[in-house]
Amino acid sequence: MSQTFLGMPLLPVFGTGNLHASESFPKAAHRELGNAQLRANLGHATHTIRDKRLQVVSELPDWEQLRDAGSAIKESVMARLPELLEQFEKNFTARGGVIHWARDADEANEIVAGLIRETGETEAVKVKSMATQEIGLNEYLEEQGITALETDLAELIVQLDHDKPSHILVPAIHKNRSQVRDIFLREMPGADPALTDDPAKLAAAARTHLRRKFLTAKVAVSGANFALADSGTLAVVESEGNGRMCLTLPESLITVMGIEKLLPTWQDLEVFMQLLPRSSTGERMNPYTSLWTGVTEGDGPQNMHLVLLDNGRSAALADEMGRSALHCIRCSACMNVCPVYERTGGHAYGSTYPGPIGAILSPLMTGIQAEENNSLPYASSLCGACYDACPVKINIPDILVHLRGVDVDSKRGKKKIPTQMDAGMKAASWALSSGKRLGLLEKGLPLGRLAAGPDKKITKLPGIAAGWTQSRDIPAPPPQSFRTWWAKEHRGPDADGGPMPSHNKGDQP
Amino acid sequence: MSARDEILGRVRAALKDSPQVPQVPRGYRATSGLDEKALIELLVDRLVDYKAQVAVVDAAEVPTRIAALLVGAQSYVVPAGLDSGWLAGVEYEPADGRRHLDSAATPLTVAELDGIDAVVTGSAVAVAETGTIILDGSPSQGRRAISLVPDHHICVVKATDIAGILPEALRRIDGTRPLTMISGPSATSDIELERVEGVHGPRKLDVIIAR
């Protein structure tokens, strides 16, 4: 291939599909916060899983070393991505698998629908997969007259309720048990009217509902948690056995996977299979993990397809500050510790990827200007809990700040006339870059006291600063600045020359 | 241009800053350093925590144990390559159709498997620290479907096949075989994060650890 990228797109090509917030985060959050039931369900669930995670993580003496290794492996995957993709393709193909490449959501959907049509089937069983959520595969297949049946319990609950997932690991986290029972009674054909809201009984009802489908399905659609470049092996990590059913019993298996999911070698799996279960469900190990390398004669599906999906991943990769968001292994630990997610829930983020990781991944994949995605980097208090919890050490707070900058820059480009904010920032920059200038301005403090009046409070600021005083008062400024006070208190041979002690470097920019 | 070439081109263009490939620090544990007794104890503890049933027996007692576990089963399936000595304690009457042999050459259909109560298999390797048993499709374990569809899985783990931690276990197996890692019976925590054992995979897991 040409090394000069002739005809290659010079600008990043962004992703499409379910990656957008269609209304701004503050607006959506405001609505979701009004739902007390949602907040109670979320609070209970996130705290339960958080405690479990902490307990199993504390059992491992080498947790931090595993995180370091995981982070470095993913960084090397991103740096070597073209080479690893080609190596994986070669190995997967050599073992009887067929690879399809999809530039975006539409292309991936068309490929999957075409592959299902080739089998002559109009129904497919599905293993829970974020990639297929992202591209809106189920909706597309429905338009094409193909029924895609979600088989993960939580995905089934969401699908039966015609709702959207609100968490990447436990998509029905926003529903409690009695809501689940009501959905089953309403939507599940043949559900026992005496069904109680006992989770064991509800799981048993799902088993009965899906069993016949598993045993007769000819086609399955899955995602993949990992793909090993050195062997062409794919891995799916799950709990219920629905994954094993889909990956083992049908004749055809179609897997949809983002191009960033690769790991270089078999050895790397030992790191990620220790990091993922503990970070996601808070278990030492998830009940079932399936690994397969192409087609095995006489065991499992004999038609094996893999759709490699870009859909904005290359655009995220092009952002040097943001590319480590692609290290994400979709464990959801960041959501469970996030004070914002815990209160608003996943729907407020609009995109398939909610929570702290979604707040960076969605705008990186779609571009900051897509719909309302520029509001997502602000959906954080920057407390850093997500960074601490992340098993591959993605510095989410840093990327959030970076993307806020990208947002501001993208808006500045559109406007010719400087805004009040621009003027204010310019003035602040002038004042704060010199101690002398600041000292001069501070002489104006008594004016502020005057404005505050006898109750010593400023209740309304002018212009855009009014936003600050909308929900709080500013106490009257002190009669003198700290510098003036210090200079008076410490009048001596050293401090005489200026308002600050001798180490003052205020005049240097 | 094909989608393949275009995506690879986009990825190469995205990496035009030629980011460094870091050295991977592998300071994490490579072995547990536990002896066989400690490994068995740890594995039992972890399996019980997952609500699997566990028995630790001498190798000679495996057949008796298997027979006892199969008492309630109307029918059971075994892979053709299973150690035939393990079934020595089970009363065998070819005409009663209770025992089914499965192999890639003569596979049972999914519907047939659905009518079978239990499955007996060996295992490739186990991980004590995480309570994980790995099946790799070799003759003592058979096709993946047979240890999936029947509702009761009886799995024999040889004490010498127990590794302390995951890195040790993965070094002992061939990653390109069809692999299933099993940690307890199937389970879900999808409703209010409350763990429920027994969804689509076998709802009952019996592990026999053979010393």
Side-chain angles (χ1 to χ4, degrees):
Chain A
M1 198 165 90
S2 156
Q3 289 299 305
T4 54
F5 309 127
L6 275 179
M8 292 293 173
L10 293 171
L11 291 170
V13 184
F14 293 116
T16 55
N18 298 330
L19 286 170
H20 304 80
S22 51
E23 62 181 328
S24 75
F25 182 81
K27 223 171 166 185
H30 196 260
R31 188 190 52 245
E32 298 292 315
L33 283 171
N35 185 344
Q37 179 74 65
L38 172 79
R39 258 187 303 152
N41 295 354
L42 276 172
H44 168 71
T46 51
H47 282 262
T48 307
I49 203 162
R50 221 189 266 194
D51 295 345
K52 279 175 71 185
R53 178 189 158 272
L54 277 179
Q55 200 184 332
V56 293
V57 161
S58 68
E59 280 180 9
L60 290 192
D62 54 352
W63 182 250
E64 289 306 320
Q65 283 89 334
L66 286 166
R67 287 178 81 207
D68 287 336
S71 173
I73 292 167
K74 279 292 186 182
E75 197 182 327
S76 89
V77 167
M78 297 315 147
R80 297 171 55 203
L81 196 53
E83 162 206 343
L84 292 175
L85 281 167
E86 285 177 328
Q87 188 190 5
F88 177 84
E89 178 188 39
K90 193 173 137 253
N91 287 321
F92 187 80
T93 309
R95 298 286 299 234
V98 183
I99 298 223
H100 310 262
W101 299 74
R103 297 174 184 92
D104 56 24
D106 290 344
E107 192 168 17
N109 286 333
E110 283 161 24
I111 293 168
V112 176
L115 290 170
I116 297 174
R117 247 184 250 117
E118 270 175 36
T119 66
E121 295 293 310
T122 54
E123 199 169 84
V125 285
K126 271 194 75 197
V127 198
K128 178 173 159 24
S129 133
M130 297 313 300
T132 59
Q133 292 277 0
E134 172 193 322
I135 60 177
L137 179 66
N138 292 3
E139 297 75 18
Y140 179 82
L141 290 178
E142 201 180 320
E143 284 166 24
Q144 303 293 311
I146 299 168
T147 309
L149 187 67
E150 292 291 352
T151 62
D152 169 74
L153 177 55
E155 291 285 359
L156 176 70
I157 293 166
V158 168
Q159 190 178 44
L160 286 173
D161 197 35
H162 315 286
D163 193 7
K164 276 168 67 178
S166 67
H167 188 283
I168 66 174
L169 179 76
V170 266
I173 198 170
H174 56 295
K175 306 258 190 242
N176 65 26
R177 60 185 73 190
S178 58
Q179 291 169 312
V180 174
R181 182 206 46 210
D182 295 346
I183 294 166
F184 280 12
L185 288 177
R186 197 178 66 232
E187 301 285 342
M188 202 181 255
D192 178 3
L195 185 66
T196 69
D197 66 1
D198 174 7
K201 295 279 185 323
L202 294 168
R207 176 183 166 102
T208 312
H209 174 67
L210 289 172
R211 184 112 183 139
R212 189 59 33 205
K213 297 287 181 193
F214 283 134
L215 301 182
T216 55
K218 297 274 185 279
V219 190
V221 178
S222 84
N225 292 90
F226 306 109
L228 307 179
D230 70 343
S231 59
T233 303
L234 292 170
V236 163
V237 173
E238 53 127 359
S239 295
E240 297 169 8
N242 63 311
R244 290 177 70 192
M245 289 281 180
C246 293
L247 302 170
T248 314
L249 301 183
E251 293 163 5
S252 300
L253 173 61
I254 304 161
T255 303
V256 182
M257 184 185 84
I259 52 173
E260 85 285 17
K261 289 273 170 195
L262 290 179
L263 297 178
T265 67
W266 168 251
Q267 195 197 356
D268 298 321
L269 199 67
E270 71 190 21
V271 175
F272 287 90
M273 283 309 296
Q274 294 192 75
L275 289 172
L276 178 57
R278 284 185 160 86
S279 300
S280 57
T281 49
E283 292 169 303
R284 297 185 180 109
M285 190 62 87
N286 51 293
Y288 297 134
T289 298
S290 296
L291 293 123
W292 70 99
T293 307
V295 176
T296 304
E297 211 188 319
D299 188 350
Q302 299 296 298
N303 301 313
M304 197 69 79
H305 294 272
L306 176 67
V307 181
L308 281 172
L309 179 69
D310 178 357
N311 202 36
R313 285 163 178 80
S314 57
L317 189 68
D319 186 322
E320 288 174 40
M321 283 282 294
R323 66 168 58 123
S324 62
L326 294 173
H327 297 186
C328 176
I329 54 173
R330 312 284 190 262
C331 72
S332 72
C334 63
M335 274 154 235
N336 301 329
V337 298
C338 179
V340 176
Y341 176 90
E342 181 188 331
R343 287 164 179 83
T344 65
H347 290 161
Y349 296 79
S351 161
T352 294
Y353 303 107
I357 188 63
I360 57 174
L361 203 51
S362 308
L364 281 166
M365 289 169 71
T366 62
I368 198 82
Q369 293 179 345
E371 294 192 35
E372 300 290 340
N373 274 6
N374 66 343
S375 66
L376 293 177
Y378 301 93
S380 167
S381 65
L382 301 180
C383 75
C386 49
Y387 183 25
D388 284 343
C390 178
V392 289
K393 297 177 95 165
I394 301 169
N395 192 334
I396 297 176
D398 261 15
I399 302 178
L400 285 165
V401 172
H402 159 67
L403 289 174
R404 290 178 187 185
V406 173
D407 172 46
V408 171
D409 288 344
S410 78
K411 284 176 184 151
R412 187 180 292 127
K414 282 187 215 158
K415 292 181 194 125
K416 294 273 186 292
I417 309 155
T419 61
Q420 280 187 52
M421 179 65 93
D422 294 335
M425 286 295 166
K426 221 166 206 147
S429 151
W430 178 83
L432 294 171
S433 56
S434 149
K436 278 196 183 131
R437 288 177 204 156
L438 191 61
L440 199 70
L441 285 173
E442 280 168 355
K443 299 231 188 303
L445 282 177
L447 279 177
R449 284 178 79 76
L450 210 64
D455 61 353
K456 298 201 167 63
K457 274 183 203 149
I458 298 171
T459 53
K460 200 168 187 310
L461 286 171
I464 53 161
W468 178 263
T469 45
Q470 213 165 37
S471 52
R472 45 176 121 43
D473 297 333
I474 297 180
Q480 60 184 345
S481 74
F482 177 76
R483 290 154 172 271
T484 319
W485 173 84
W486 179 272
K488 272 187 204 154
E489 291 293 309
H490 297 262
R491 212 174 280 282
D494 285 350
D496 220 5
M500 286 291 279
S502 56
H503 60 262
N504 173 33
K505 292 192 170 61
D507 276 350
Q508 290 166 18
Chain B
M1 193 188 306
S2 72
R4 175 188 185 278
D5 290 349
E6 191 168 332
I7 292 168
L8 285 172
R10 288 178 188 176
V11 172
R12 288 199 177 93
L15 294 170
K16 61 181 183 297
D17 59 314
S18 312
Q20 266 207 323
V21 180
Q23 272 289 321
V24 175
R26 296 200 190 260
Y28 53 86
R29 292 169 302 158
T31 53
S32 69
L34 298 177
D35 62 19
E36 188 176 294
K37 186 165 167 283
L39 288 174
I40 292 176
E41 258 171 41
L42 187 58
L43 179 61
V44 170
D45 176 77
R46 298 299 143 93
L47 285 167
V48 168
D49 192 43
Y50 291 139
K51 308 270 165 46
Q53 299 197 69
V54 197
V56 184
V57 301
D58 290 329
E61 292 167 40
V62 170
T64 330
R65 185 71 204 160
I66 291 178
L69 289 170
L70 282 175
V71 164
Q74 295 287 321
S75 57
Y76 60 92
V77 56
V78 296
L82 192 79
D83 184 340
S84 58
W86 286 352
L87 296 175
V90 190
E91 212 172 291
Y92 181 51
E93 180 57 61
D96 71 1
R98 191 169 172 240
R99 180 183 299 177
H100 299 264
L101 275 184
D102 183 274
S103 70
T106 54
L108 297 171
T109 65
V110 173
E112 282 168 331
L113 283 173
D114 190 36
I116 293 173
D117 292 340
V119 54
V120 183
T121 72
S123 57
V125 59
V127 188
E129 186 176 72
T130 60
T132 304
I133 296 166
I134 306 181
L135 308 186
D136 70 356
S138 53
S140 74
Q141 298 138 55
R143 297 187 304 135
R144 285 175 288 171
I146 65 166
S147 51
L148 172 63
V149 180
D151 209 13
H152 182 191
H153 184 188
I154 299 164
C155 186
V156 181
V157 176
K158 292 181 190 160
T160 49
D161 287 336
I162 305 174
I165 56 175
L166 190 71
E168 289 174 279
L170 294 190
R171 276 199 297 275
R172 293 194 200 176
I173 50 175
D174 173 359
T176 62
R177 301 187 63 90
L179 297 175
T180 308
M181 299 168 64
I182 298 173
S183 307
S186 75
T188 182
S189 302
D190 278 349
I191 300 169
E192 294 185 24
L193 271 309
E194 188 168 303
R195 188 176 159 105
V196 175
E197 278 85 13
V199 197
H200 305 296
R203 286 183 283 190
K204 211 168 143 197
L205 175 66
D206 263 292
V207 181
I208 302 172
I209 299 173
R211 283 184 297 233

